[in-house]
Amino acid sequence: LSVKLGSRLSLFIYDFLLFGAFVLTGLYIIIGLYPIQAAITFILLPKAFVAHKSVKNFHRLSIPNTNKIHLYYFIIQSIVLIIWS
């Protein structure tokens, strides 16, 4: 799909999906859907910027970096929501 869309649009979609999760987490905390402890997921933001840079520069570690962010985000969010919800 990214070949058909081109690199610019593919990177935009990647950023939208990756950083959109952090934006929604912040929004959900503000409006009270998530407990304040969910803010701990923001510790993954530096790793997200590293993943963005590696995807943008077509590094071979881009997929493992992205997978780690998704995994860690899921684990952190799951633990927070199970314990504090």
Side-chain angles (χ1 to χ4, degrees):
L1 181 63
S2 62
V3 172
K4 289 189 178 222
L5 295 175
S7 62
R8 290 185 84 176
L9 184 57
S10 296
L11 186 60
F12 173 77
I13 292 170
Y14 176 83
D15 289 343
F16 179 77
L17 294 173
L18 181 64
F19 295 109
F22 293 104
V23 170
L24 285 177
T25 298
L27 180 66
Y28 291 165
I29 291 169
I30 290 169
I31 64 175
L33 289 175
Y34 280 5
I36 191 68
Q37 292 85 354
I40 195 159
T41 55
F42 291 116
I43 64 171
L44 296 174
L45 267 175
K47 195 159 188 63
F49 285 109
V50 169
H52 164 79
K53 187 175 180 181
S54 65
V55 167
K56 184 178 179 183
N57 296 325
F58 302 106
H59 292 159
R60 64 184 191 99
L61 288 178
S62 60
I63 293 174
N65 286 337
T66 303
N67 290 345
K68 286 178 187 176
I69 292 169
H70 291 308
L71 177 65
Y72 298 155
Y73 185 91
F74 170 75
I75 290 171
I76 292 170
Q77 286 288 339
S78 297
I79 290 170
V80 165
L81 293 176
I82 288 170
I83 293 175
W84 283 287
S85 287

